[in-house]
Amino acid sequence: MSIGQDEFVAAAKDLIDQLVTTQRDAISAAAALVADCVLADGVVQAFGTGHSQGLVMEIAGRAGGLIPTNRLALRDVVTYGGDPADSLGPHTEREPAIAHRVYELAAPHVNDLFVIASNSGGNGSTVEMASLVKDRGHGLIAFTSLAHATAVESRHPSGKHLHDFADVVIDNCGPMGDTLLPLPGGGQVCAISSITAAFAAQMMLADACARLLTAGKTPPVYLSANVPGGDEHNKGLEERYSGRIRRDP
C-alpha cells in the first residue's frame, strides 16, 4: 500500500462516514445531557490525558463553544493544587489516585456533567475519574475507541474501562492503535482519533444548541477573542459562572 496525503484522506473519510452513520443516536443522547446540564445551571467538566486533552480543548473554552465548560487535566495538581512540577511524570496518567485530587480541585456542583476522553479507555486515572464521577452522581459522556478499549486490558485495579461507567458512549471509530496507514516492514502512521472525536464533539454541540433554542434559551457561546467585541461578550457571560470555570493563561 502506498502512503501519502491522498491515502490518508481516503481512509479518514471512511472513518468519518462510519462515525456519522453509526454514532448519531449516541451523539444525540449526549447532546441531550449537555443541554439539560446548561438548563440546570450546570457546567460541562471535560477531562482527558495525553492527546485526549485535544478533545478537552475542543469542548471547553474555544470560539463557537459553550461558555459553561471547564478543562480538567492532571497538571491541575500543580497549577491549582501547589504540587511540585516534578510530581508529574510520563506514567502519571496510569495512577488512579491523582483523579481524586483533580476532581477535588475542580469542586464540581452536583448538576455538573462530565465528558471524559480516552482512546484506550484503560489508564488508571481515567477509569478512576469515571468511577468517582458516577459515585458522586454526575452524568458521564465517554469519547473512546471501542475497537481499542475492548482489545486491551485495563490498567485500573477494577479491570474496567471508561466505557463501562458512562451514561453515553461515543465511539470515535478509530482502529486499535489509532493509526491508519501501514508502513513497509511494520509500523503505522497517521493517527485519527483526535479528528473523529473532534468531529463528534461538534456534532454534539450543534444538537445541544438546537435543544437549548427549542427550550427558549439562547446558547451561551464564545465569540472569537480575535473579533471586535469578542472579549466583552465573553467576559459578560463568563461572569455568570464565576469561580466555576477556569481558563488557562
Side-chain angles (χ1 to χ4, degrees):
M1 178 181 179
S2 59
I3 292 178
Q5 60 177 298
D6 290 341
E7 288 75 16
F8 173 73
V9 167
K13 281 183 175 178
D14 285 345
L15 284 186
I16 291 172
D17 287 344
Q18 180 182 337
L19 173 82
V20 171
T21 300
T22 65
Q23 299 304 301
R24 282 188 179 275
D25 288 347
I27 291 170
S28 179
L33 292 180
V34 171
D36 288 347
C37 173
V38 175
L39 290 170
D41 196 34
V43 167
V44 178
Q45 305 278 355
F47 174 70
T49 68
H51 284 90
S52 291
Q53 292 176 78
L55 193 278
V56 173
M57 295 180 70
E58 193 72 20
I59 290 173
R62 71 165 301 165
L66 291 170
I67 282 180
T69 52
N70 198 33
R71 300 176 189 165
L72 307 183
L74 299 182
R75 64 180 175 275
D76 290 352
V77 301
V78 175
T79 306
Y80 303 108
D83 289 11
D86 61 8
S87 66
L88 301 179
H91 298 306
T92 301
E93 67 179 359
R94 300 180 182 180
E95 301 171 7
I98 194 171
H100 292 261
R101 286 273 286 137
V102 173
Y103 180 93
E104 290 163 3
L105 288 167
H109 292 194
V110 69
N111 55 343
D112 287 357
L113 172 71
F114 277 72
V115 176
I116 301 180
S118 172
N119 197 57
S120 67
N123 275 314
S125 63
T126 299
V127 178
E128 186 71 10
M129 182 66 81
S131 176
L132 178 60
V133 162
K134 294 312 301 175
D135 285 345
R136 300 295 173 86
H138 302 285
L140 172 59
I141 299 166
F143 283 75
T144 191
S145 164
L146 290 177
H148 192 138
T150 57
V152 297
E153 291 186 3
S154 172
R155 290 191 171 114
H156 190 268
S158 69
K160 293 184 177 181
H161 291 77
L162 168 61
H163 65 266
D164 293 318
F165 295 92
D167 297 294
V168 177
V169 177
I170 296 175
D171 184 3
N172 65 38
C173 297
M176 171 69 175
D178 200 8
T179 48
L180 295 184
L181 304 181
L183 290 168
Q188 296 198 146
V189 294
C190 297
I192 190 63
S193 63
S194 297
I195 295 171
T196 52
F199 199 89
Q202 295 299 339
M203 290 173 66
M204 179 180 74
L205 174 62
D207 265 7
C209 287
R211 288 176 178 272
L212 291 173
L213 290 168
T214 298
K217 181 177 179 64
T218 300
V221 298
Y222 279 103
L223 293 179
S224 171
N226 298 309
V227 301
D231 285 342
E232 293 78 10
H233 168 88
N234 297 339
K235 183 179 179 181
L237 288 176
E238 284 181 337
E239 287 176 351
R240 300 182 189 178
Y241 304 93
S242 178
R244 300 179 62 195
I245 60 176
R246 303 179 305 214
R247 295 293 178 255
D248 295 337

